[in-house]
Amino acid sequence: MEKLKAAVKGKKIILLGPPGSGKGNRSKDLKELGLVHVASGIALRARVRNDAESELSKKAKDYMKRGDLVPDDIVVPIVMEHLKKKECVVNGFVLDGFPRNKSQSEILFSEMDIDLVLYLEVPRRHLIYGIVEANRRTCTKCALTYSDFDPPQDAEACNKCGGEIVKRADDNAETIKYRLKLYEEETKAFLPDLEAKGIVELLPITVSDDEEVDTSKLKTLRGDVYRTETDQGESVRMLNLVAMRERLFDILVEKFM
Ligand code: AMP
């Protein structure tokens, strides 16, 4: 662990994945290695909460409520300012929720090099189920998420930081479907550019039946191994939080050590 921490120090990592793909939880894993977590969604929600009456906050809130992308002139300065802070330069960062479209990607890459993009691959069917039916809740302080798969020990307080756990206003069926559609359209517009740079690594959550995996590594729902369908219609199992952390760290070892 100490060797891995030293190897990732100063690295700039992007987490790319649709809503509900586990960006918050993977960010927590990367934070344990010393990277600074920079999440555009958390930054925007904090801005709207702390400065509720400003025109900027009201405008941002409207977009967020609908699940639309907040305009670049609001979100880009908030994120870029954070990434240039000394704590990010020295320790490195994990960027969560940004870039979300081609122009954000171009601005980011024109200002800094990125070491790694982790592409979180999760079946669409599970994304909707995990957020809506399994009742995703989010910590307002550190953004860790919980659901019926991984319920918090205390229904209202985060296991990790004690922050308040709430259901996000935009975590409803209609908005989720819209956010997924937007994600697919907008990400497809810039993902090939990042792939061409050779920095994208796939981090899949599914385990096909051909793969032998210890049950202790599988996602369960109320005691049973959970199964979902891939976008191609194959029935699959999924890795749990502990196993995803291992899969993530294996990629980092391979890449940086
Ligand atoms: P998230 O917490 O990443 O799911 O973001 C919540 C909401 O914040 C999104 O649905 C958008 O309305 C807004 N948002 C977050 N990141 C961005 C971004 N990079 N560009 C535009 N809007 C964003």
Side-chain angles (χ1 to χ4, degrees):
M1 184 81 171
E2 288 311 311
K3 279 190 187 157
L4 183 57
K5 272 188 185 173
V8 301
K9 189 172 163 74
K11 298 289 187 233
K12 305 185 191 79
I13 299 179
I14 295 178
L15 284 179
L16 209 58
S21 58
K23 296 193 291 292
N25 289 319
R26 297 297 81 69
S27 295
K28 176 187 138 276
D29 297 336
L30 290 164
K31 258 161 75 177
E32 274 175 40
L33 297 175
L35 298 172
V36 178
H37 181 207
V38 180
S40 48
I42 302 179
L44 284 167
R45 285 194 291 278
R47 173 65 69 97
V48 166
R49 246 199 330 273
N50 299 334
D51 174 32
E53 292 312 312
S54 73
E55 280 312 307
L56 183 144
S57 291
K58 285 181 191 158
K59 192 170 164 188
K61 198 174 169 181
D62 273 352
Y63 281 90
M64 290 163 84
K65 218 167 142 190
R66 296 195 301 265
D68 265 322
L69 291 188
V70 172
D72 286 355
D73 62 334
I74 296 179
V75 69
V76 171
I78 294 177
V79 174
M80 293 310 298
E81 214 173 90
H82 199 157
L83 297 182
K84 289 177 188 165
K85 282 190 183 161
K86 194 173 166 205
E87 58 162 356
C88 287
V89 176
V90 173
N91 301 303
F93 58 76
V94 47
L95 185 51
D96 159 4
F98 188 98
R100 280 274 229 286
N101 61 27
K102 195 173 170 80
S103 78
Q104 291 178 6
S105 172
E106 284 173 356
I107 293 172
L108 177 68
F109 279 85
S110 72
E111 299 207 19
M112 58 184 74
D113 287 329
I114 296 293
D115 298 291
L116 174 64
V117 178
L118 289 162
Y119 188 78
L120 308 186
E121 200 186 48
V122 178
R124 184 184 155 85
R125 184 172 175 151
H126 172 76
L127 294 171
I128 297 173
Y129 182 85
I131 295 179
V132 182
E133 288 165 58
N135 193 21
R136 177 166 89 159
R137 283 95 74 200
T138 308
C139 171
T140 49
K141 209 161 144 201
C142 74
L144 212 59
T145 55
Y146 299 91
S147 69
D148 295 349
F149 292 104
D150 313 289
Q153 280 143 19
D154 168 345
E156 275 156 28
C158 176
N159 293 350
K160 182 89 183 157
C161 73
E164 189 191 2
I165 302 174
V166 297
K167 184 148 182 82
R168 279 171 47 176
D170 56 351
D171 274 354
N172 58 69
E174 198 184 328
T175 313
I176 284 297
K177 284 185 188 153
Y178 180 61
R179 279 157 65 200
L180 283 174
K181 177 175 165 280
L182 210 60
Y183 171 81
E184 271 170 24
E185 288 168 4
E186 298 288 351
T187 328
K188 273 188 194 140
F190 71 88
L191 183 61
D193 300 344
L194 308 195
E195 283 171 336
K197 293 179 195 289
I199 52 172
V200 180
E201 293 283 339
L202 197 63
L203 180 56
I205 197 170
T206 54
V207 187
S208 76
D209 284 350
D210 312 335
E211 240 180 289
E212 248 185 61
V213 184
D214 195 289
T215 319
S216 66
K217 298 196 168 185
L218 293 172
K219 209 179 235 319
T220 53
L221 188 58
R222 295 176 205 100
D224 295 324
V225 170
Y226 168 77
R227 298 191 78 93
T228 192
E229 237 175 55
T230 64
D231 299 350
Q232 291 73 38
E234 186 199 354
S235 165
V236 284
R237 300 159 298 164
M238 286 172 56
L239 293 180
N240 63 20
L241 292 176
V242 175
M244 279 305 281
R245 180 175 180 272
E246 276 176 23
R247 203 173 245 190
L248 164 63
F249 285 7
D250 284 349
I251 292 178
L252 299 178
V253 167
E254 178 90 358
K255 183 98 186 162
F256 297 126
M257 286 179 72

